[in-house]
């Protein structure tokens, strides 16, 4: 079955599903009619209190399947037994796509994240890019913070507004891609105030302490600087993403 | 003595002193030779471990006065008994000035903060403004987060690089001031991409949930928008400050 169309479709579907957890988050998601929900998971050990009653009622209204698990199985689904509070929810994210799709796109300005581990930074980056002039974020599954309730909170309701192109590693995506791939460097000749974008541009932002990894750096084709005053050496990564999203090139 | 020059000088001095606490922060401050230190405070209950030995040695090298207090007195100095770890330090901040000084300035682009309570946001705002084209931040003592170790951490070493103009309230500063005072509004006719700055400009940023307070809003003279895509309604306040600091008007 591995190569069949059915397998590919299933894989595509499950790749687009993300699981969130925690009672407030689940209520928020259930109340947002723009969010497509696959299934709701509850622990059999949950006390039927106000929050659980509300979750059950919302799920019933929307006709969403509820699966009951023992506590251990629920932990395996949420992958966060400390914070799941006995509930998890599978969301079908139409904006969550494979980075393979980028090859076929003709015009884009994307931000690629190389090792952003801080969920608040990831949420803020999503929020600013959704609001600004960015077509999507390339997010490697392995090296990045998971899409979690903390990310959702920091994204302030924008988590499902912007395409997120998932991949295993940025190297896979960049290899052979016909695009200008920018890194930021204080030594770069051109600044963000004087570059001219080509039709296909990707800006790579690295981990705050480590920067862009060596392998990814080697695949970048251009570099730009953000001029800074008073000897300041760097900006918060979410701020950098925001400047790329909003400064008009 | 209240009106004497001596009193005024003392008041000015103590207004420029901020007190930080916690062992890592105190070590970091003692190691930064650009930071002028007034006095070091230690609790008599401190165990003489590695960190305390290091702090004592650094203070001795720099010739800084050490005052020993009982635990309660130290808490009154740090104002944070839970996190002071038995040490506090008074810093003389040359960049920490009275907002009264603004009246006599002839050219400026300032950011005024109205009720920013989140220390991470405050630290990020300081970092971006220090790096960008902003001449200082107006910070009302009453309604803002205190300059604390959390603010220091989020500022990433930029806390003492940018002038911070303290005041009791923004109303006091704005009243009768000959400057363009901007608020951000999604309804504004002009966007940040098409305004022309006058010689004296102040941008007011409000609390993330409440926005700019009514009284301050009434003293603002102009309003601008940041155009947003995909129906996103707002940006993180530190991101907004960063855009004002870096987008060239």
């Amino acid at each position: 079955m591995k190569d069949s169309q059915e397998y590919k479709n299933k894989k595509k579907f499950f790749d687009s599903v993300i699981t969130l957890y925690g009672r407030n988050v689940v209520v928020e998601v259930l109340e947002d009619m723009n969010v497509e929900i696959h299934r709701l998971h509850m622990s059999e050990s949950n006390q039927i209190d106000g929050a659980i009653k509300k979750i059950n009622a919302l799920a019933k209204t929307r006709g969403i399947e509820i699966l009951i698990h023992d506590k251990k199985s629920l932990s395996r689904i949420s992958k966060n037994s400390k914070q799941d509070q006995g509930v998890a929810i599978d969301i079908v994210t139409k904006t969550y796509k494979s980075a393979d799709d980028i090859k076929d796109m003709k015009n884009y300005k994307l931000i690629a994240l190389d090792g952003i581990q801080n969920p608040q930074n990831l949420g803020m980056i999503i929020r600013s890019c959704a609001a600004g002039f960015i077509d999507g974020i390339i997010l490697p599954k392995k090296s990045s913070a998971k899409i979690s309730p903390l990310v959702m909170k920091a994204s302030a309701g924008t988590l499902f507004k912007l395409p997120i192109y998932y991949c295993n590693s940025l190297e896979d995506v960049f290899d052979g891609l016909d695009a200008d791939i920018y890194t930021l460097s204080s030594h770069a000749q051109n600044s963000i105030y004087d570059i001219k974008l080509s039709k296909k541009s990707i800006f790579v932002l690295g981990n705050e302490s480590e920067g862009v990894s060596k392998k990814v750096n080697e695949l970048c084709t251009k570099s730009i600087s953000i001029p800074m005053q008073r000897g300041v050496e760097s900006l918060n990564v979410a701020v950098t993403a925001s400047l790329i999203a909003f400064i008009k090139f």
Side-chain angles (χ1 to χ4, degrees), chain A:
Chain A
M1 182 179 119
K2 210 178 166 185
D3 288 323
S4 72
Q5 191 57 41
E6 192 192 351
Y7 170 81
K8 281 183 190 164
N9 288 345
K10 273 201 179 165
K11 187 175 181 309
K12 200 167 179 180
F13 177 77
F14 282 107
D15 274 340
S16 77
V17 169
I18 60 173
T19 302
L20 294 173
Y21 47 83
R23 296 181 180 191
N24 286 340
V25 166
V26 167
V27 168
E28 194 184 324
V29 166
L30 283 166
E31 285 178 337
D32 185 344
M33 297 306 285
N34 292 316
V35 179
E36 187 182 329
I37 293 162
H38 179 47
R39 289 190 303 203
L40 178 65
H41 305 274
M42 311 273 266
S43 167
E44 61 185 10
S45 64
N46 286 341
Q47 301 277 341
I48 311 295
D49 61 5
I52 296 296
K53 275 185 195 162
K54 192 170 182 183
I55 290 170
N56 277 325
L58 283 165
K60 201 177 163 189
T61 308
R62 291 189 60 170
I64 288 156
E65 184 184 2
I66 304 177
L67 303 179
I68 308 293
H69 309 269
D70 60 46
K71 225 177 163 182
K72 260 196 172 168
S73 306
L74 190 90
S75 303
R76 272 196 296 272
I77 292 166
S78 73
K79 296 194 181 83
N80 194 331
S81 59
K82 279 191 189 159
Q83 288 170 23
D84 65 28
Q85 302 174 305
V87 294
I89 194 158
D90 295 331
I91 296 167
V92 187
T93 54
K94 287 169 209 155
T95 52
Y96 207 61
K97 303 172 181 193
S98 165
D100 291 342
D101 294 1
I102 297 171
K103 282 192 208 84
D104 304 322
M105 289 159 56
K106 281 174 186 158
N107 278 287
Y108 52 79
K109 180 182 172 194
L110 300 170
I111 281 192
L113 301 180
D114 187 26
I116 303 300
Q117 290 286 350
N118 179 317
Q120 277 193 308
N121 280 340
L122 180 55
M124 278 175 63
I125 291 170
I126 293 170
R127 183 178 179 184
S128 288
C129 290
F133 304 97
I134 290 289
D135 300 311
I137 293 172
I138 310 177
L139 191 69
K141 280 185 182 176
K142 280 183 199 164
S143 64
S144 310
K146 299 269 168 300
I147 301 288
S148 69
L150 275 173
V151 175
M152 186 167 167
K153 198 178 167 207
S155 81
T158 64
L159 188 53
F160 308 113
K161 286 185 186 287
L162 180 79
I164 292 183
Y165 297 97
Y166 59 84
C167 57
N168 283 320
S169 76
L170 289 180
E171 296 99 291
D172 297 347
V173 181
F174 293 169
D175 198 22
L177 194 71
D178 162 36
D180 285 342
I181 304 174
Y182 289 89
T183 44
L184 287 145
S185 158
S186 53
H187 310 298
Q189 280 203 313
N190 291 317
S191 85
I192 46 166
Y193 298 114
D194 52 33
I195 60 165
K196 276 196 180 172
L197 278 197
S198 65
K199 282 188 180 174
K200 301 177 181 181
S201 302
I202 299 174
F203 295 84
V204 184
L205 302 180
N207 175 286
E208 280 237 51
S209 34
E210 313 281 324
V212 174
S213 63
K214 198 164 164 269
K215 279 185 182 174
V216 170
N217 208 38
E218 281 167 5
L219 291 165
C220 293
T221 57
K222 301 204 167 183
S223 84
I224 45 163
S225 67
I226 297 178
M228 290 184 220
Q229 314 302 307
R230 303 183 182 88
V232 177
E233 286 172 7
S234 71
L235 293 168
N236 170 284
V237 67
V239 166
T240 306
S242 308
L243 297 183
I244 294 168
F246 278 96
I247 288 180
K248 289 198 172 168
F249 298 125

